[in-house]
Amino acid sequence: MSKLVQFQLDFDQDLDFYLNKTYPGFEDYRIYSEALDARNANRGKKPIYNYTIELVYPGEEFKTFKEEFKKLGEFNQKPIIIGAGPAGLFCALRLVEYGIPSILIERGDRAHNRMKHIAKFWRYGEFDEENNVCYGEGGAGLFSDGKLISRIKSPYVEYVMNRLVDFGAPPETAYTSNPHLGSNKIRALINKITDYLMANGCEIIYNTRVDKLVYASDNNSVQGVILSNGKQLESNNVVLATGHSAKEVYFHLKENKVAMKAKDFAVGVRVEHSRQHIDYLQYGKFAACDLGAARYKLTYHNKNNDKGTYSFCMCPGGYVLSSGTEADGIVVNGMSNYARNSRWSNSALVVTVRAGEDYPIDDVLAGHYFQREIEKKAFLASKECATGREIPTQTLTDFLDNSVKSDLPKTSCPSGIFKYDLRKILPEFIQQGLYEGLQNFDKKMPGFVSNDSILMAPETRTSAPVTILRNRVTFESDSHKGLYPCGEGAGYAGGITSAAVDGVKVAMAMIRKEKP
């Protein structure tokens, strides 16, 4: 039986030397966790690594994950899965493990073709409403930091991680805490997953949108879908894994009285510094050592109005991307590749937006309208001052001074940037939350606010503006049998891992219903 050990080492200590000296006779090891603690490194304290190591001695083996699947055979009607992001793909994958093929419908193209459309948009402003940073094979997770961090506690997390390794992720993904793949490695994995699904009986329909659900005459259940090409497909199991940006889906669900409720989310900006600057702020004199791109997590809470301002989806050594889904709207997001080796580091800085307080809830989609109004303002500003594809940008010092006088530094953003007063785009309470938060962050990380650092706006798609209500046991819609709201767009996930796990949960719920 293998042995788990935990210890600390100075960042420049040799791990092999320590293990051989402290645990003589072991045959092999693997790293479960290697967490850098660089607190106070900027004040001269030596960084340390907190290790969790699995050791095996002669005759022992590493712990392995093994799951047996009984082939149950097809459902009477193939389940239909709408959306080929992490939730939809892992829902289809889990069904296939049990010998159950499905029909997977994706409005965009395969990942490699999708990349071509996105490159045209970033370079020339040629926007494709069906192939962009949010739509297409792999979903929005294809353009992210590729962090597989999840706070959820589920037995399916291990399954997801091991299957990612099966499809080409680094082996340590299966056993390390907080693994990071990066956008470039995720793209390669996604192609292999969809190839595997098709080889095992799944039908994947690309470049086709689901325009409507087909409802029973009593409007209490779902019986299929109608596609953008006019074709109708029948199924008594329809999985809605469309992501948080598929606005047409929300409109259709509202029109047909599918149970939903407005929810809180967050809106703000994307802040970008040079990676060298952030590394120095966090590591101090140790920035020249091989510690990797520095990360940070910053929070501020205003007790008077009970609002939070916080960093979100920090991308060390990453890029800022234009990631809108409408031709007349601008949205920003961040991503990193596996090496995290760009010259910049970025993070969202967002302010809490509360349903019923910051926007009305007399209309369940009021949160969506709130987001869209901001995105349209950003686009109109870009059309007025640039070509419509560039991102409105302001230096941190100018934002705090309420001025637009400083020249902008170089940026990682492939769409380009232009100088603009972001207060003209953002609601007043968001402006105030950012103003207070930035002042607080500069006290926590002196030097965080500088004239060489910039804010790009708006960051509006932090999460879905609604929750599509579902039963906690059956995972079916509260209002319509046979409809399975799933993943981030339904309000049940917040990242690649949790979305994939939710897809697995929905697959298991369908299996329990159809193959009891």
Side-chain angles (χ1 to χ4, degrees), residues 196-252:
Y196 177 85
L197 291 174
M198 288 187 284
N200 284 272
C202 289
E203 180 184 357
I204 304 182
I205 305 172
Y206 291 103
N207 298 303
T208 306
R209 194 176 58 250
V210 171
D211 281 346
K212 295 179 181 179
L213 301 179
V214 178
Y215 301 92
S217 56
D218 59 5
N219 198 33
N220 288 329
S221 63
V222 169
Q223 298 181 329
V225 300
I226 297 176
L227 306 181
S228 54
N229 59 16
K231 186 176 180 180
Q232 181 169 323
L233 302 177
E234 294 183 357
S235 178
N236 59 343
N237 292 291
V238 177
V239 179
L240 205 58
T242 52
H244 60 43
S245 294
K247 61 186 185 304
E248 305 95 337
V249 172
Y250 294 142
F251 292 136
H252 175 73

Short mmCIF file of all heavy atoms in Angstrom, two decimals, residues 196-252:
data_model
loop_
_atom_site.label_atom_id
_atom_site.label_comp_id
_atom_site.label_asym_id
_atom_site.label_seq_id
_atom_site.Cartn_x
_atom_site.Cartn_y
_atom_site.Cartn_z
N TYR A 196 -13.77 10.15 -29.95
CA TYR A 196 -14.11 8.94 -29.20
C TYR A 196 -15.63 8.75 -29.15
O TYR A 196 -16.13 7.63 -29.33
CB TYR A 196 -13.54 9.04 -27.79
CG TYR A 196 -13.89 7.87 -26.90
CD1 TYR A 196 -13.14 6.71 -26.91
CD2 TYR A 196 -14.99 7.94 -26.03
CE1 TYR A 196 -13.46 5.63 -26.08
CE2 TYR A 196 -15.32 6.88 -25.20
CZ TYR A 196 -14.55 5.73 -25.23
OH TYR A 196 -14.88 4.66 -24.42
N LEU A 197 -16.35 9.84 -28.90
CA LEU A 197 -17.81 9.74 -28.84
C LEU A 197 -18.39 9.25 -30.16
O LEU A 197 -19.25 8.36 -30.20
CB LEU A 197 -18.41 11.10 -28.47
CG LEU A 197 -18.16 11.61 -27.05
CD1 LEU A 197 -18.69 13.03 -26.88
CD2 LEU A 197 -18.80 10.68 -26.02
N MET A 198 -17.91 9.81 -31.27
CA MET A 198 -18.42 9.40 -32.58
C MET A 198 -18.05 7.96 -32.89
O MET A 198 -18.84 7.22 -33.49
CB MET A 198 -17.91 10.35 -33.66
CG MET A 198 -18.57 11.72 -33.60
SD MET A 198 -18.14 12.84 -34.97
CE MET A 198 -16.48 13.35 -34.50
N ALA A 199 -16.86 7.54 -32.47
CA ALA A 199 -16.43 6.16 -32.71
C ALA A 199 -17.25 5.16 -31.90
O ALA A 199 -17.27 3.97 -32.21
CB ALA A 199 -14.95 6.01 -32.38
N ASN A 200 -17.93 5.66 -30.86
CA ASN A 200 -18.72 4.77 -30.00
C ASN A 200 -20.22 5.01 -30.13
O ASN A 200 -20.99 4.80 -29.18
CB ASN A 200 -18.28 4.94 -28.55
CG ASN A 200 -16.96 4.25 -28.27
OD1 ASN A 200 -16.92 3.07 -27.93
ND2 ASN A 200 -15.86 4.99 -28.43
N GLY A 201 -20.63 5.46 -31.31
CA GLY A 201 -22.05 5.49 -31.62
C GLY A 201 -22.77 6.79 -31.43
O GLY A 201 -23.98 6.89 -31.71
N CYS A 202 -22.10 7.81 -30.94
CA CYS A 202 -22.76 9.11 -30.77
C CYS A 202 -22.82 9.84 -32.10
O CYS A 202 -21.89 9.78 -32.91
CB CYS A 202 -22.02 9.97 -29.76
SG CYS A 202 -22.18 9.41 -28.07
N GLU A 203 -23.91 10.55 -32.29
CA GLU A 203 -24.06 11.40 -33.47
C GLU A 203 -23.82 12.84 -33.01
O GLU A 203 -24.48 13.31 -32.09
CB GLU A 203 -25.45 11.26 -34.06
CG GLU A 203 -25.69 12.12 -35.29
CD GLU A 203 -27.11 12.04 -35.81
OE1 GLU A 203 -27.91 11.24 -35.24
OE2 GLU A 203 -27.44 12.77 -36.76
N ILE A 204 -22.88 13.52 -33.63
CA ILE A 204 -22.61 14.92 -33.29
C ILE A 204 -22.97 15.79 -34.50
O ILE A 204 -22.43 15.59 -35.59
CB ILE A 204 -21.15 15.14 -32.87
CG1 ILE A 204 -20.78 14.21 -31.70
CG2 ILE A 204 -20.94 16.59 -32.46
CD1 ILE A 204 -19.37 14.38 -31.19
N ILE A 205 -23.87 16.70 -34.28
CA ILE A 205 -24.33 17.58 -35.34
C ILE A 205 -23.73 18.97 -35.10
O ILE A 205 -24.07 19.64 -34.13
CB ILE A 205 -25.87 17.67 -35.36
CG1 ILE A 205 -26.48 16.27 -35.48
CG2 ILE A 205 -26.35 18.57 -36.50
CD1 ILE A 205 -27.99 16.24 -35.32
N TYR A 206 -22.81 19.37 -35.98
CA TYR A 206 -22.14 20.66 -35.85
C TYR A 206 -22.85 21.73 -36.68
O TYR A 206 -23.65 21.43 -37.57
CB TYR A 206 -20.68 20.55 -36.29
CG TYR A 206 -19.81 19.73 -35.37
CD1 TYR A 206 -19.45 18.42 -35.72
CD2 TYR A 206 -19.33 20.26 -34.17
CE1 TYR A 206 -18.64 17.67 -34.88
CE2 TYR A 206 -18.52 19.50 -33.33
CZ TYR A 206 -18.19 18.21 -33.69
OH TYR A 206 -17.39 17.46 -32.87
N ASN A 207 -22.51 22.98 -36.38
CA ASN A 207 -22.99 24.13 -37.15
C ASN A 207 -24.52 24.14 -37.27
O ASN A 207 -25.08 24.54 -38.29
CB ASN A 207 -22.36 24.13 -38.55
CG ASN A 207 -20.85 24.25 -38.48
OD1 ASN A 207 -20.33 25.21 -37.92
ND2 ASN A 207 -20.14 23.28 -39.03
N THR A 208 -25.16 23.71 -36.21
CA THR A 208 -26.62 23.63 -36.19
C THR A 208 -27.11 24.08 -34.82
O THR A 208 -26.69 23.53 -33.79
CB THR A 208 -27.11 22.21 -36.48
OG1 THR A 208 -26.52 21.75 -37.71
CG2 THR A 208 -28.62 22.16 -36.59
N ARG A 209 -28.01 25.02 -34.82
CA ARG A 209 -28.55 25.56 -33.58
C ARG A 209 -29.88 24.89 -33.25
O ARG A 209 -30.65 24.57 -34.15
CB ARG A 209 -28.74 27.07 -33.73
CG ARG A 209 -28.98 27.86 -32.45
CD ARG A 209 -29.07 29.34 -32.73
NE ARG A 209 -30.15 29.64 -33.68
CZ ARG A 209 -29.96 30.04 -34.93
NH1 ARG A 209 -28.73 30.24 -35.40
NH2 ARG A 209 -30.99 30.27 -35.73
N VAL A 210 -30.15 24.68 -31.98
CA VAL A 210 -31.48 24.27 -31.54
C VAL A 210 -32.30 25.54 -31.36
O VAL A 210 -32.01 26.36 -30.49
CB VAL A 210 -31.43 23.46 -30.24
CG1 VAL A 210 -32.84 23.22 -29.70
CG2 VAL A 210 -30.74 22.12 -30.48
N ASP A 211 -33.33 25.70 -32.17
CA ASP A 211 -34.15 26.90 -32.10
C ASP A 211 -35.32 26.78 -31.14
O ASP A 211 -35.73 27.77 -30.53
CB ASP A 211 -34.69 27.27 -33.49
CG ASP A 211 -33.63 27.96 -34.35
OD1 ASP A 211 -32.61 28.40 -33.78
OD2 ASP A 211 -33.83 28.06 -35.57
N LYS A 212 -35.85 25.56 -31.01
CA LYS A 212 -37.01 25.37 -30.13
C LYS A 212 -36.96 24.00 -29.49
O LYS A 212 -36.42 23.05 -30.05
CB LYS A 212 -38.32 25.50 -30.92
CG LYS A 212 -38.59 26.87 -31.50
CD LYS A 212 -39.91 26.84 -32.29
CE LYS A 212 -40.20 28.20 -32.91
NZ LYS A 212 -41.48 28.18 -33.70
N LEU A 213 -37.56 23.89 -28.33
CA LEU A 213 -37.87 22.60 -27.74
C LEU A 213 -39.28 22.23 -28.17
O LEU A 213 -40.12 23.09 -28.42
CB LEU A 213 -37.80 22.66 -26.22
CG LEU A 213 -36.45 23.09 -25.61
CD1 LEU A 213 -36.55 23.13 -24.08
CD2 LEU A 213 -35.33 22.17 -26.04
N VAL A 214 -39.53 20.93 -28.27
CA VAL A 214 -40.86 20.44 -28.60
C VAL A 214 -41.53 20.00 -27.29
O VAL A 214 -40.99 19.16 -26.56
CB VAL A 214 -40.80 19.26 -29.58
CG1 VAL A 214 -42.21 18.74 -29.88
CG2 VAL A 214 -40.11 19.68 -30.87
N TYR A 215 -42.68 20.57 -27.02
CA TYR A 215 -43.37 20.32 -25.76
C TYR A 215 -44.59 19.43 -25.98
O TYR A 215 -45.22 19.44 -27.05
CB TYR A 215 -43.81 21.64 -25.12
CG TYR A 215 -42.68 22.58 -24.85
CD1 TYR A 215 -42.30 23.53 -25.79
CD2 TYR A 215 -41.96 22.52 -23.65
CE1 TYR A 215 -41.24 24.41 -25.56
CE2 TYR A 215 -40.90 23.39 -23.40
CZ TYR A 215 -40.55 24.32 -24.36
OH TYR A 215 -39.50 25.18 -24.12
N ALA A 216 -44.96 18.68 -24.95
CA ALA A 216 -46.19 17.89 -24.99
C ALA A 216 -47.39 18.82 -25.01
O ALA A 216 -47.29 20.00 -24.68
CB ALA A 216 -46.26 16.96 -23.78
N SER A 217 -48.55 18.30 -25.37
CA SER A 217 -49.74 19.13 -25.50
C SER A 217 -50.13 19.80 -24.19
O SER A 217 -50.68 20.90 -24.19
CB SER A 217 -50.91 18.28 -26.02
OG SER A 217 -51.13 17.17 -25.16
N ASP A 218 -49.82 19.16 -23.07
CA ASP A 218 -50.14 19.77 -21.77
C ASP A 218 -49.04 20.71 -21.28
O ASP A 218 -49.13 21.29 -20.20
CB ASP A 218 -50.41 18.69 -20.72
CG ASP A 218 -49.21 17.76 -20.53
OD1 ASP A 218 -48.14 18.01 -21.13
OD2 ASP A 218 -49.34 16.78 -19.77
N ASN A 219 -47.95 20.83 -22.08
CA ASN A 219 -46.80 21.70 -21.76
C ASN A 219 -46.14 21.35 -20.43
O ASN A 219 -45.55 22.20 -19.78
CB ASN A 219 -47.22 23.18 -21.76
CG ASN A 219 -46.01 24.11 -21.88
OD1 ASN A 219 -45.02 23.77 -22.53
ND2 ASN A 219 -46.07 25.26 -21.24
N ASN A 220 -46.23 20.08 -20.04
CA ASN A 220 -45.59 19.65 -18.79
C ASN A 220 -44.36 18.78 -19.03
O ASN A 220 -43.71 18.36 -18.07
CB ASN A 220 -46.59 18.86 -17.93
CG ASN A 220 -47.65 19.77 -17.34
OD1 ASN A 220 -47.39 20.94 -17.06
ND2 ASN A 220 -48.86 19.23 -17.15
N SER A 221 -44.04 18.52 -20.28
CA SER A 221 -42.87 17.70 -20.59
C SER A 221 -42.30 18.09 -21.94
O SER A 221 -42.95 18.77 -22.74
CB SER A 221 -43.24 16.21 -20.57
OG SER A 221 -44.19 15.93 -21.58
N VAL A 222 -41.06 17.66 -22.17
CA VAL A 222 -40.36 17.94 -23.43
C VAL A 222 -40.28 16.66 -24.24
O VAL A 222 -40.01 15.58 -23.71
CB VAL A 222 -38.96 18.52 -23.13
CG1 VAL A 222 -38.11 18.59 -24.39
CG2 VAL A 222 -39.07 19.91 -22.51
N GLN A 223 -40.48 16.78 -25.54
CA GLN A 223 -40.52 15.60 -26.41
C GLN A 223 -39.51 15.65 -27.54
O GLN A 223 -39.49 14.74 -28.37
CB GLN A 223 -41.93 15.43 -26.99
CG GLN A 223 -43.00 15.19 -25.93
CD GLN A 223 -44.38 14.99 -26.52
OE1 GLN A 223 -44.70 15.55 -27.56
NE2 GLN A 223 -45.20 14.19 -25.86
N GLY A 224 -38.69 16.68 -27.61
CA GLY A 224 -37.71 16.75 -28.68
C GLY A 224 -37.26 18.18 -28.93
O GLY A 224 -37.49 19.08 -28.10
N VAL A 225 -36.65 18.39 -30.10
CA VAL A 225 -36.12 19.71 -30.45
C VAL A 225 -36.37 19.98 -31.93
O VAL A 225 -36.52 19.06 -32.73
CB VAL A 225 -34.60 19.81 -30.16
CG1 VAL A 225 -34.30 19.57 -28.69
CG2 VAL A 225 -33.80 18.83 -31.04
N ILE A 226 -36.39 21.27 -32.27
CA ILE A 226 -36.44 21.70 -33.66
C ILE A 226 -35.15 22.46 -33.95
O ILE A 226 -34.78 23.39 -33.24
CB ILE A 226 -37.66 22.60 -33.93
CG1 ILE A 226 -38.95 21.80 -33.70
CG2 ILE A 226 -37.62 23.13 -35.37
CD1 ILE A 226 -40.21 22.63 -33.84
N LEU A 227 -34.45 22.04 -35.01
CA LEU A 227 -33.14 22.60 -35.34
C LEU A 227 -33.26 23.80 -36.27
O LEU A 227 -34.31 24.04 -36.88
CB LEU A 227 -32.28 21.52 -36.00
CG LEU A 227 -32.12 20.20 -35.23
CD1 LEU A 227 -31.21 19.25 -36.00
CD2 LEU A 227 -31.59 20.45 -33.82
N SER A 228 -32.17 24.53 -36.39
CA SER A 228 -32.15 25.72 -37.23
C SER A 228 -32.33 25.40 -38.71
O SER A 228 -32.71 26.26 -39.50
CB SER A 228 -30.85 26.50 -37.02
OG SER A 228 -29.72 25.65 -37.23
N ASN A 229 -32.09 24.15 -39.09
CA ASN A 229 -32.32 23.74 -40.48
C ASN A 229 -33.73 23.23 -40.71
O ASN A 229 -34.06 22.72 -41.78
CB ASN A 229 -31.30 22.68 -40.90
CG ASN A 229 -31.36 21.43 -40.03
OD1 ASN A 229 -32.32 21.21 -39.29
ND2 ASN A 229 -30.32 20.60 -40.10
N GLY A 230 -34.59 23.34 -39.70
CA GLY A 230 -35.98 22.93 -39.80
C GLY A 230 -36.25 21.49 -39.40
O GLY A 230 -37.41 21.09 -39.24
N LYS A 231 -35.22 20.70 -39.21
CA LYS A 231 -35.40 19.29 -38.87
C LYS A 231 -35.87 19.15 -37.42
O LYS A 231 -35.45 19.89 -36.54
CB LYS A 231 -34.08 18.54 -39.07
CG LYS A 231 -34.18 17.03 -38.89
CD LYS A 231 -32.85 16.36 -39.21
CE LYS A 231 -32.95 14.85 -39.04
NZ LYS A 231 -31.66 14.17 -39.34
N GLN A 232 -36.73 18.18 -37.17
CA GLN A 232 -37.22 17.91 -35.83
C GLN A 232 -36.69 16.55 -35.35
O GLN A 232 -36.74 15.56 -36.08
CB GLN A 232 -38.75 17.92 -35.78
CG GLN A 232 -39.31 17.67 -34.39
CD GLN A 232 -40.81 17.95 -34.29
OE1 GLN A 232 -41.31 18.89 -34.93
NE2 GLN A 232 -41.52 17.15 -33.52
N LEU A 233 -36.16 16.52 -34.14
CA LEU A 233 -35.66 15.29 -33.53
C LEU A 233 -36.50 15.01 -32.28
O LEU A 233 -36.80 15.91 -31.50
CB LEU A 233 -34.19 15.43 -33.14
CG LEU A 233 -33.20 15.78 -34.25
CD1 LEU A 233 -31.80 15.96 -33.66
CD2 LEU A 233 -33.19 14.71 -35.33
N GLU A 234 -36.85 13.73 -32.09
CA GLU A 234 -37.68 13.36 -30.95
C GLU A 234 -36.85 12.68 -29.87
O GLU A 234 -35.99 11.86 -30.16
CB GLU A 234 -38.81 12.43 -31.41
CG GLU A 234 -39.82 13.09 -32.33
CD GLU A 234 -40.96 12.16 -32.71
OE1 GLU A 234 -40.92 10.98 -32.29
OE2 GLU A 234 -41.87 12.61 -33.43
N SER A 235 -37.14 13.04 -28.62
CA SER A 235 -36.53 12.37 -27.48
C SER A 235 -37.27 12.80 -26.22
O SER A 235 -37.70 13.94 -26.10
CB SER A 235 -35.05 12.72 -27.35
OG SER A 235 -34.49 12.09 -26.21
N ASN A 236 -37.39 11.86 -25.29
CA ASN A 236 -37.99 12.20 -24.00
C ASN A 236 -36.94 12.55 -22.96
O ASN A 236 -37.24 12.69 -21.78
CB ASN A 236 -38.88 11.05 -23.50
CG ASN A 236 -38.09 9.75 -23.34
OD1 ASN A 236 -36.99 9.61 -23.88
ND2 ASN A 236 -38.66 8.81 -22.63
N ASN A 237 -35.67 12.69 -23.41
CA ASN A 237 -34.58 13.14 -22.54
C ASN A 237 -33.77 14.18 -23.30
O ASN A 237 -33.04 13.83 -24.24
CB ASN A 237 -33.68 11.97 -22.14
CG ASN A 237 -34.38 10.98 -21.24
OD1 ASN A 237 -34.69 11.27 -20.09
ND2 ASN A 237 -34.67 9.78 -21.76
N VAL A 238 -33.91 15.43 -22.91
CA VAL A 238 -33.20 16.53 -23.57
C VAL A 238 -32.36 17.26 -22.53
O VAL A 238 -32.89 17.77 -21.53
CB VAL A 238 -34.19 17.52 -24.24
CG1 VAL A 238 -33.43 18.69 -24.84
CG2 VAL A 238 -35.00 16.80 -25.31
N VAL A 239 -31.05 17.29 -22.75
CA VAL A 239 -30.12 17.94 -21.82
C VAL A 239 -29.80 19.33 -22.34
O VAL A 239 -29.34 19.49 -23.48
CB VAL A 239 -28.83 17.11 -21.67
CG1 VAL A 239 -27.86 17.80 -20.70
CG2 VAL A 239 -29.16 15.70 -21.18
N LEU A 240 -30.00 20.32 -21.50
CA LEU A 240 -29.77 21.71 -21.87
C LEU A 240 -28.43 22.14 -21.30
O LEU A 240 -28.32 22.54 -20.14
CB LEU A 240 -30.90 22.57 -21.31
CG LEU A 240 -31.25 23.88 -21.99
CD1 LEU A 240 -31.61 23.67 -23.45
CD2 LEU A 240 -32.40 24.55 -21.25
N ALA A 241 -27.36 22.03 -22.10
CA ALA A 241 -26.00 22.37 -21.66
C ALA A 241 -25.43 23.44 -22.57
O ALA A 241 -24.36 23.29 -23.15
CB ALA A 241 -25.13 21.11 -21.68
N THR A 242 -26.17 24.54 -22.69
CA THR A 242 -25.88 25.55 -23.71
C THR A 242 -24.92 26.64 -23.27
O THR A 242 -24.58 27.51 -24.08
CB THR A 242 -27.20 26.20 -24.16
OG1 THR A 242 -27.91 26.66 -23.00
CG2 THR A 242 -28.06 25.22 -24.91
N GLY A 243 -24.48 26.64 -22.02
CA GLY A 243 -23.56 27.68 -21.56
C GLY A 243 -24.29 28.95 -21.16
O GLY A 243 -25.49 29.11 -21.37
N HIS A 244 -23.52 29.88 -20.56
CA HIS A 244 -24.16 31.06 -19.97
C HIS A 244 -24.42 32.20 -20.96
O HIS A 244 -24.90 33.26 -20.57
CB HIS A 244 -23.35 31.58 -18.78
CG HIS A 244 -21.95 31.99 -19.10
ND1 HIS A 244 -21.59 32.73 -20.22
CD2 HIS A 244 -20.78 31.79 -18.43
CE1 HIS A 244 -20.30 32.95 -20.21
NE2 HIS A 244 -19.78 32.39 -19.15
N SER A 245 -24.11 32.00 -22.23
CA SER A 245 -24.26 33.09 -23.20
C SER A 245 -25.32 32.84 -24.26
O SER A 245 -25.51 33.68 -25.14
CB SER A 245 -22.91 33.37 -23.88
OG SER A 245 -21.97 33.87 -22.95
N ALA A 246 -25.99 31.70 -24.19
CA ALA A 246 -26.97 31.36 -25.22
C ALA A 246 -28.30 32.06 -24.92
O ALA A 246 -29.25 31.46 -24.42
CB ALA A 246 -27.16 29.85 -25.30
N LYS A 247 -28.36 33.32 -25.26
CA LYS A 247 -29.51 34.17 -24.89
C LYS A 247 -30.81 33.67 -25.51
O LYS A 247 -31.88 33.75 -24.90
CB LYS A 247 -29.25 35.61 -25.33
CG LYS A 247 -29.07 35.77 -26.85
CD LYS A 247 -28.66 37.15 -27.23
CE LYS A 247 -28.61 37.30 -28.76
NZ LYS A 247 -27.72 36.32 -29.41
N GLU A 248 -30.75 33.15 -26.76
CA GLU A 248 -31.98 32.69 -27.43
C GLU A 248 -32.66 31.58 -26.64
O GLU A 248 -33.89 31.48 -26.62
CB GLU A 248 -31.68 32.17 -28.85
CG GLU A 248 -30.93 33.15 -29.75
CD GLU A 248 -29.43 32.91 -29.71
OE1 GLU A 248 -28.94 32.33 -28.72
OE2 GLU A 248 -28.75 33.31 -30.67
N VAL A 249 -31.85 30.75 -25.99
CA VAL A 249 -32.40 29.66 -25.18
C VAL A 249 -33.19 30.22 -24.02
O VAL A 249 -34.32 29.78 -23.73
CB VAL A 249 -31.26 28.74 -24.68
CG1 VAL A 249 -31.80 27.72 -23.68
CG2 VAL A 249 -30.59 28.04 -25.84
N TYR A 250 -32.64 31.22 -23.32
CA TYR A 250 -33.35 31.83 -22.20
C TYR A 250 -34.68 32.43 -22.65
O TYR A 250 -35.70 32.28 -21.98
CB TYR A 250 -32.48 32.92 -21.55
CG TYR A 250 -31.22 32.42 -20.89
CD1 TYR A 250 -30.04 33.15 -20.97
CD2 TYR A 250 -31.21 31.23 -20.16
CE1 TYR A 250 -28.88 32.71 -20.36
CE2 TYR A 250 -30.05 30.79 -19.54
CZ TYR A 250 -28.89 31.53 -19.64
OH TYR A 250 -27.74 31.09 -19.02
N PHE A 251 -34.67 33.13 -23.79
CA PHE A 251 -35.91 33.73 -24.29
C PHE A 251 -36.96 32.65 -24.58
O PHE A 251 -38.14 32.81 -24.25
CB PHE A 251 -35.64 34.54 -25.56
CG PHE A 251 -34.83 35.78 -25.33
CD1 PHE A 251 -33.79 36.13 -26.19
CD2 PHE A 251 -35.09 36.62 -24.26
CE1 PHE A 251 -33.04 37.28 -25.99
CE2 PHE A 251 -34.35 37.77 -24.04
CZ PHE A 251 -33.32 38.10 -24.91
N HIS A 252 -36.51 31.57 -25.21
CA HIS A 252 -37.44 30.49 -25.54
C HIS A 252 -38.00 29.85 -24.28
O HIS A 252 -39.21 29.54 -24.21
CB HIS A 252 -36.72 29.44 -26.40
CG HIS A 252 -37.54 28.24 -26.70
ND1 HIS A 252 -38.59 28.24 -27.59
CD2 HIS A 252 -37.49 26.97 -26.21
CE1 HIS A 252 -39.15 27.05 -27.65
NE2 HIS A 252 -38.49 26.25 -26.81
#
